[in-house]
Amino acid sequence: MFSFTRARQSGRVAAIALIATGALVLSACSSNAPEATPTATGAPDPDATLSVGLVLEPTNLDIRHTSGAALEQILVDNIYEGLVTRTQDNEIVERLASAYEISPDGLTYTFTLNDDITFHDGSELTSADVVASYKAVQSDAAVQGNAQFAGVDSIDAPDATTVVITLTEPDQNFLFTLTGPAGLVFAKGDKTDLKTAENGTGPFVLDRWTKGSSISFDRFDEYWGEQATVAEVVFHYIPDFTAGVNAALDGTLDVLTAVDPNLAPQLEETGEFVITTGRTTDKATLAFNNAQAPLDDVKVREALRLAIDHDALIDAVGAGQTLFGPIPELDPGYEDLSDVATYNPSRARELLAEAGHEELDLTLTIPSFYGTTAAQVLISDFAKVGVSLEVKRVEFATWLEDVYTNHDYELSFVLHVEPRDFGNWANPDYYFGYDNAEVQDLYTQALTETDAERSAELLAEAARLVSEDHAADWLYNGATLTALLPGVSGFPEDSINSRIDLAGVTKTAD
Amino acid sequence: MLRYTLTRGALLVAGLLVSSVIIFLTLRVLPGDVAQLIAGTQASAETVEALRQSLGLDRPLIVQYLEWIGGVLRGDLGTSQLSGASVSAELLEKAQVTAPLGLMALTIALLIAVPFGIVSAMLRGHAGGTAMSVSAQAVAAVPVIWAGMMLVVVFAHWLGWLPAQGFPRTGWATPGKALEALLLPALTIGLVEGAMLMRFVRSATLQAAGQDFVRTAAAKGLTRRRALVLHGIPAVGLSIVTVLGLQIAGIIVGSVVIEQLFTLPGIGRMLVADVGTRDLVKVQSELLVLTGFVLIIGFIVDLVHHAIDPRQREAA
């Protein structure tokens, strides 16, 4: 999935988009402006309406069948819930389940449900609803998460409050999969049209969706857990970053997410907004077509990586931190791999000469909703080592067809926002065209390893191999900037391009 | 007249059918499809294929076309493949922004074009007339998007009189705010379209001034100017009506650009978004409705013209 930055379309897209456009926020943001001091000290207003500015609008609300950060961002935890969920820093915690147990062999997951959970239509949630929801994921290829459920052997409900899932082999990622759309629980046999309406269990209900403009949620007064601390939330979709900042300045918004780092000073200077910088798992991925000349030559790939001045690129983008391998800091298996591809343009030239390319023409295919900043930096960095880069900006749908499906490209740029998506490097059919048996083997071992720490070590080992093969370049790990009025507290900071859990967000009376 | 109406009506229907085929086929040339967009970048080929089947994208094109056009003929514009919402309902919702925007733009265009066009024709040869005519040439050549940005800079940023973008969430329940939101965008389209129309009005006026009936009236003792106003202007009005269809097409195109610039939730922005997401059934219906709208305006204009212009009646 992608994350935010501006895009059109499907959630994923969206997500990508988000990120893409530069809207990214990077964590290494270097703003030295003094932080605005919250001045509002009023008590939280339980009847408050919270207005949040977002970039990417969902294409529909059917999170079962539609991929994308734009849907997950607002629906998971707020409208729909799963047995487990994840915190801002990707820790797994119980949600509908009051407890869970994993057998020592890693094959059996036993969940106990909380009491008195009801769907928004008033019907009670039982283990039968969980079983029906998960069986749909397991059996229907069109449901999100179907591939991740390939190792599920059985899903049963021994009684009304217990769910038991058995796997054919251990899967270190399975519980994490349940924190995503695949793990959400829907009412059994429900006839709600999920594209336009909802029947979840979360602390909010869908109030209204004005397409192209906004989506609003109301507090669900019969929520089984802690009541939401605002009465209404309105998500305003503003694809243009400048327009987003204007909407914050004119008082339309209490919170603006995905603030363009280059525009953040405008908000800070007013002294009215607090800007937070959050971490993400957004990987700005400069993909190389490993299966095709000239990028099937590791020397060429290494040369391109050494030619990129990552620190300067991040300065230009305005936020983020360097990332020299496929696994970001928030995911298991992260280690600092900066030693693998330190900036060295003269070595890059030598490598190109060794590979027989004193001069090289390459084409970069990039979805048009990503800003031009990264591409401009790449053009000038590559020119310094004799590589002339042509940038082909295409609609995201075209990118999906040409690059993702047909692998018809040399270099590509998208923001891969999904957490724990290292598996793409172990999939020879993925658009990266990267086929390394050792990596595939290590990844399989990491997944089937029941000890989490050992699993992470195996992942780190595999990630180092991918980086040493220079299978791609990771331009940066995105950060996300959020601007808040001082009266708002409890708004999440990290990973909000894929999750905005509104539980506990409060706003003081104006 | 009846024969003319029937012939012209048949032409209209044929035009719509041809448009529908062209629209349908042209959209099929675009790379990518809605199933890939829904599935995203973690999806397997199997998932995309399963989605394609469930959306009916795997059927032969002729079947897809006939299903769509059959629905349209029954008055059903179909449902969005992405959102599952009815296309006609969404068109109606977005028309609440685009229709007032278009009407405001048209009004502004006429308010600019008619008086200035006539006056600049009457002042032909004078410095004032030349200045007007040159300004119109210049303004008509300005791209709508640039005009919009200039207006935003002046009225929204420098003067702060009007909002730079957006439409109130409350819509027309707050008519003042809604009108305010549409004023700058309408002014942008109206200025550019008005400048184009003004040149047309000017030449129509000059043409009318040279017509036999104006000269006859002048010969009967009216001043040239009075003859023009009494006998020429109605003829100019008629000429304006004939280009109205074109004007409206221009306004629709302008609104696509302007709605993007001002982030207005109207038909133009919806169309661009739907093309981007390859929601083709929806795009087809939207384009057909817009095309039909322009063709029907042309049809009405021709009928009116036929009914009131004595020369056309004789010709028939």
Side-chain angles (χ1 to χ4, degrees), chain B residues 226-313:
Chain B
R226 287 204 56 168
L228 185 65
V229 171
L230 289 176
H231 297 271
I233 301 296
V236 172
L238 199 58
S239 320
I240 292 176
V241 170
T242 60
V243 292
L244 217 52
L246 278 178
Q247 279 296 305
I248 286 172
I251 284 173
I252 290 174
V253 172
S255 71
V256 171
V257 175
I258 285 304
E259 285 175 9
Q260 297 286 349
L261 181 68
F262 288 91
T263 330
L264 295 172
I267 293 174
R269 238 182 104 211
M270 171 169 77
L271 196 56
V272 172
D274 292 340
V275 171
T277 56
R278 300 292 186 263
D279 197 346
L280 296 189
V281 170
K282 198 165 164 221
V283 178
Q284 278 156 214
S285 292
E286 286 159 359
L287 287 174
L288 192 65
V289 166
L290 293 178
T291 311
F293 188 69
V294 173
L295 289 178
I296 287 166
I297 298 269
F299 172 72
I300 294 169
V301 164
D302 280 1
L303 288 192
V304 170
H305 207 205
H306 192 83
I308 59 180
D309 187 337
R311 286 166 305 182
Q312 291 246 0
R313 270 207 304 274

Side-chain angles (χ1 to χ4, degrees), chain A residues 141-364:
Chain A
V143 172
Q144 288 286 313
N146 170 265
Q148 286 74 32
F149 267 48
V152 172
D153 184 41
S154 68
I155 305 165
D156 296 300
D159 61 52
T161 57
T162 311
V163 175
V164 179
I165 302 174
T166 60
L167 306 181
T168 51
E169 57 180 0
D171 179 355
Q172 189 60 238
N173 265 356
F174 184 69
L175 202 58
F176 194 80
T177 297
L178 293 185
T179 67
L184 300 176
V185 179
F186 300 83
K188 187 179 176 179
D190 194 0
K191 294 285 178 278
T192 306
D193 177 3
L194 297 180
K195 282 184 170 179
T196 52
E198 55 88 7
N199 183 22
T201 55
F204 289 93
V205 293
L206 174 69
D207 167 39
R208 197 156 149 242
W209 180 13
T210 310
K211 290 194 185 66
S213 169
S214 64
I215 295 181
S216 54
F217 293 170
D218 288 340
R219 176 169 47 218
F220 178 49
D221 291 326
E222 285 76 51
Y223 182 56
W224 63 271
E226 288 276 307
Q227 289 276 313
T229 39
V230 289
E232 188 189 23
V233 179
V234 182
F235 298 106
H236 295 266
Y237 289 98
I238 310 173
D240 179 86
F241 295 114
T242 311
V245 169
N246 289 341
L249 292 173
D250 75 16
T252 306
L253 304 175
D254 302 309
V255 180
L256 175 64
T257 66
V259 179
D260 182 332
N262 300 309
L263 300 176
Q266 285 189 37
L267 289 167
E268 280 179 316
E269 284 161 13
T270 63
E272 284 189 29
F273 288 89
V274 181
I275 309 265
T276 63
T277 300
R279 295 168 301 164
T280 71
T281 55
D282 303 347
K283 298 157 292 283
T285 307
L286 179 69
F288 301 150
N289 191 339
N290 286 262
Q292 251 189 27
L295 292 153
D296 56 351
D297 182 342
V298 67
K299 286 183 172 165
V300 175
R301 299 198 300 264
E302 182 177 7
L304 293 181
R305 289 188 77 192
L306 299 184
I308 300 168
D309 182 349
H310 291 87
D311 293 326
L313 190 142
I314 289 167
D315 280 347
V317 171
Q321 57 186 16
T322 54
L323 178 67
F324 290 93
I327 296 181
E329 196 188 0
L330 288 173
D331 283 346
Y334 169 78
E335 61 171 325
D336 180 356
L337 296 169
S338 51
D339 57 302
V340 178
T342 313
Y343 179 53
N344 189 341
S346 56
R347 176 69 189 135
R349 270 188 181 284
E350 282 169 29
L351 283 162
L352 286 167
E354 286 170 32
H357 297 292
E358 257 102 15
E359 283 189 1
L360 186 59
D361 292 342
L362 292 171
T363 302
L364 168 68

Side-chain angles (χ1 to χ4, degrees), chain B residues 151-189:
Chain B
L151 289 174
V152 167
V153 167
V154 176
F155 290 98
H157 293 174
W158 290 353
L159 300 172
W161 291 351
L162 291 164
Q165 58 91 40
F167 191 72
R169 228 167 56 87
T170 41
W172 290 100
T174 48
K177 278 185 172 173
L179 276 176
E180 213 176 44
L182 293 183
L183 201 55
L184 266 191
L187 199 61
T188 309
I189 305 174

Side-chain angles (χ1 to χ4, degrees), chain A residues 2 10 60 211 405 418 430, chain B residues 36-37 41-43 82 94:
Chain A
F2 312 136
S10 96
N60 67 51
K211 290 194 185 66
T405 304
E418 237 128 35
Y430 204 66
Chain B
Q36 289 175 322
L37 275 147
T41 58
Q42 295 292 97
L82 264 176
K94 302 298 183 212

Side-chain angles (χ1 to χ4, degrees), chain B residues 205-232:
Chain B
T205 310
L206 290 172
Q207 206 189 355
Q211 296 278 10
D212 290 347
F213 57 83
V214 176
R215 280 213 297 274
T216 308
K220 285 180 179 163
L222 289 174
T223 61
R224 268 198 74 71
R225 194 159 287 186
R226 287 204 56 168
L228 185 65
V229 171
L230 289 176
H231 297 271

